[in-house]
Amino acid sequence: MISKFNYEIEGDTNNLLIKVNSKDCKNKQFIGKKLVEILQIIGLSRKSINKFDKHKYITINNKNISLKSKIKDNEIINIYLGSNEETDENLIHSNNNLENYNSKLKIVYEDMDILAVNKPKNMVVHPTKTIKNGTLANAIINYQKDKEKDNNNDNKKQDFKIRFINRIDRDTTGIVLIAKNSFAHQKIANQFQKSMKKEYLAIICGKMDLNNLNIHNIDINVDNDIIVNKTNNKDNNKDNNNDNNKDNNKNKNTEFSVIITDKNTDEIVEHTNFEIIQYNDNNNVTLLKASLITGKTHQIRRHLAYLGFPILGDELYTKTNNNNNSNENKDFIDSSLMLHSYKTTFIHPRTNKLINLTQEPPKEFKQLMGDNYGL
């Protein structure tokens, strides 16, 4: 949800600046409020507030005051978000044995708080014990250092920090969000399962028919209950006798959900909404849109595998005897996971405005589905 408070935050990547003025329609609401209340209104957790206060990173007119102090007219609140790692637990540092990786990044969106990139396939998001180079983190470090050189700051060694808001699998392509400061990371991460939307495109083997959609008996251990909820949110066309409408998705059930609940508490632990977009008869493949409500490891891949429709190229969850696989798309099964982070929607941490980011999928999607995706 967008906050009921309409306020304005200025500053830069490392600073939040709030100018309180009775003539300012947005920030005059803060006059008379306690400092700690204002910090909570703009989205800082009590834990973060205490850390910033401990390190004396919160000032009023350049002076440290009590968090219980009431703010007066014409006062300026400044919160320093800078480089002190004691106030930020979500960092990947460039000085932690990370090497530059000279890979051209596709920038989807960038401002002082957020960086969104289009991750290519076959790239790990962050370094591991065995993979130190060639990751998205390495590429971002190189991108940041190139920007510093462009700004004539190459004489000053920077300890660049990366805060991944979301992560996708090595072979999954598409949008990855990176926060440039702890404030942005905290506020966007708190939107998971609330206002934030993450949509994926996936291509599966075969033609999915919702009338016969059931949990498939595959060799995957599931400790909880799986529910397939079939919905029809499309308005059926009244002219059902028109031959031109027979294969129109608007006249079919195209939407369904996979929900996994705890056997003991009935609490929802995993939830993905799906929509059938298009079937390609030539390649015997179906394009789906998947919207994450929760975000567990391999969630979309597992949920489709549970239904007997694994994603093309998914070696981990595809059975060798799956009847939906066809010879026509064998080359794609062997080479590429056809899963793409297509659209991300969230509320901007500083401006409180809705941000919609989209990224077209790789060329392999067009090779299988044609130019018209039906989106």
Side-chain angles (χ1 to χ4, degrees):
M1 289 183 61
I2 297 178
S3 171
K4 63 180 180 180
F5 294 96
N6 185 20
Y7 49 79
E8 182 176 15
I9 303 177
E10 301 178 49
D12 54 34
T13 297
N14 293 321
N15 293 276
L16 304 178
L17 199 67
I18 304 171
K19 297 178 181 179
V20 180
N21 192 300
S22 59
K23 297 181 181 179
D24 188 330
C25 295
K26 293 183 178 180
N27 289 347
K28 68 179 182 180
Q29 62 183 303
F30 294 142
I31 297 174
K33 280 187 167 56
K34 293 180 180 179
L35 175 58
V36 66
E37 293 175 345
I38 297 172
L39 299 179
Q40 289 174 326
I41 286 171
I42 67 171
L44 288 172
S45 67
R46 189 60 199 240
K47 183 179 179 181
S48 294
I49 294 171
N50 289 337
K51 285 183 177 180
F52 289 139
D53 185 51
K54 176 182 177 181
H55 293 282
K56 301 188 183 301
Y57 287 169
I58 305 171
T59 60
I60 306 296
N61 293 346
N62 297 319
K63 296 180 181 179
N64 296 112
I65 66 172
S66 169
L67 292 174
K68 295 181 180 180
S69 299
K70 292 186 177 180
I71 301 303
K72 302 174 184 177
D73 193 7
N74 294 319
E75 289 189 321
I76 299 176
I77 305 169
N78 190 85
I79 304 102
Y80 175 61
L81 305 170
S83 59
N84 197 318
E85 63 186 69
E86 282 87 356
T87 63
D88 197 337
E89 299 171 348
N90 302 285
L91 299 180
I92 297 176
H93 289 268
S94 61
N95 62 358
N96 288 349
N97 298 320
L98 285 185
E99 301 176 12
N100 286 358
Y101 178 52
N102 190 17
S103 176
K104 185 70 174 177
L105 278 180
K106 164 69 175 178
I107 306 300
V108 180
Y109 176 87
E110 185 174 15
D111 61 28
M112 70 174 72
D113 297 302
I114 298 163
L115 174 67
V117 302
N118 178 26
K119 188 188 83 66
K121 63 182 178 180
N122 299 322
M123 176 182 279
V124 176
V125 169
H126 55 81
T128 65
K129 291 181 179 179
T130 57
I131 302 175
K132 297 295 183 182
N133 194 17
T135 73
L136 183 59
N138 297 107
I140 292 171
I141 288 167
N142 190 67
Y143 169 74
Q144 289 177 313
K145 289 186 176 181
D146 284 344
K147 284 192 67 175
E148 288 296 320
K149 290 179 181 179
D150 292 339
N151 294 329
N152 296 319
N153 291 328
D154 51 324
N155 292 327
K156 182 179 179 181
K157 185 178 179 180
Q158 299 288 328
D159 176 21
F160 296 100
K161 296 163 286 295
I162 301 170
R163 306 163 181 87
F164 286 110
I165 297 172
N166 69 309
R167 294 172 172 84
I168 57 180
D169 298 333
R170 177 175 188 158
D171 293 326
T172 303
T173 58
I175 297 173
V176 175
L177 285 180
I178 300 98
K180 294 186 177 182
N181 54 57
S182 58
F183 173 71
H185 186 276
Q186 178 182 308
K187 285 200 70 175
I188 299 178
N190 286 342
Q191 296 177 37
F192 288 172
Q193 300 185 43
K194 295 176 185 177
S195 55
M196 188 174 190
K197 295 181 180 179
K198 293 182 288 181
E199 299 180 13
Y200 290 73
L201 296 178
I203 296 180
I204 59 171
C205 307
K207 184 175 183 179
M208 180 177 281
D209 183 358
L210 266 62
N211 294 322
N212 298 313
L213 194 61
N214 294 298
I215 301 302
H216 200 263
N217 184 21
I218 57 177
D219 298 327
I220 299 177
N221 293 323
V222 182
D223 295 329
N224 298 313
D225 294 324
I226 303 177
I227 301 168
V228 179
N229 182 25
K230 306 171 190 177
T231 60
N232 182 15
N233 295 329
K234 306 287 186 183
D235 293 330
N236 286 332
N237 193 309
K238 293 181 181 180
D239 187 11
N240 291 325
N241 294 323
N242 190 334
D243 289 339
N244 293 329
N245 291 329
K246 285 184 179 180
D247 292 325
N248 192 326
N249 279 341
K250 292 182 179 180
N251 296 322
K252 298 179 181 180
N253 293 343
T254 60
E255 298 179 359
F256 65 98
S257 300
V258 175
I259 300 170
I260 299 181
T261 60
D262 187 285
K263 284 185 176 180
N264 298 319
T265 65
D266 289 333
E267 179 184 1
I268 294 176
V269 293
E270 295 185 17
H271 183 177
T272 310
N273 292 333
F274 292 95
E275 181 181 0
I276 298 174
I277 302 298
Q278 188 182 77
Y279 171 68
N280 186 297
D281 185 50
N282 292 330
N283 293 319
N284 189 28
V285 291
T286 302
L287 177 68
L288 301 177
K289 181 168 72 175
S291 301
L292 287 175
I293 307 302
T294 59
K296 304 296 183 180
T297 302
H298 296 174
Q299 180 171 305
I300 296 173
R301 297 166 62 183
R302 286 187 291 103
H303 286 189
L304 289 171
Y306 294 156
L307 300 174
F309 288 93
I311 298 173
L312 270 173
D314 195 340
E315 297 179 355
L316 181 60
Y317 294 106
T318 299
K319 289 180 66 176
T320 56
N321 62 345
N322 192 297
N323 293 327
N324 293 318
N325 292 341
S326 64
N327 292 329
E328 292 96 330
N329 49 46
K330 184 179 184 300
D331 291 338
F332 290 98
I333 295 173
D334 291 341
S335 61
S336 300
L337 177 69
M338 304 304 288
L339 179 64
H340 177 74
S341 177
Y342 161 70
K343 185 176 182 179
T344 300
T345 304
F346 60 94
I347 298 168
H348 194 282
R350 192 182 295 254
T351 67
N352 222 31
K353 294 180 180 179
L354 195 66
I355 304 294
N356 289 293
L357 305 178
T358 59
Q359 178 61 51
E360 286 298 308
K363 62 182 180 180
E364 289 86 355
F365 276 71
K366 284 189 177 181
Q367 291 174 4
L368 280 169
M369 301 305 306
D371 292 334
N372 182 15
Y373 283 70
L375 296 175

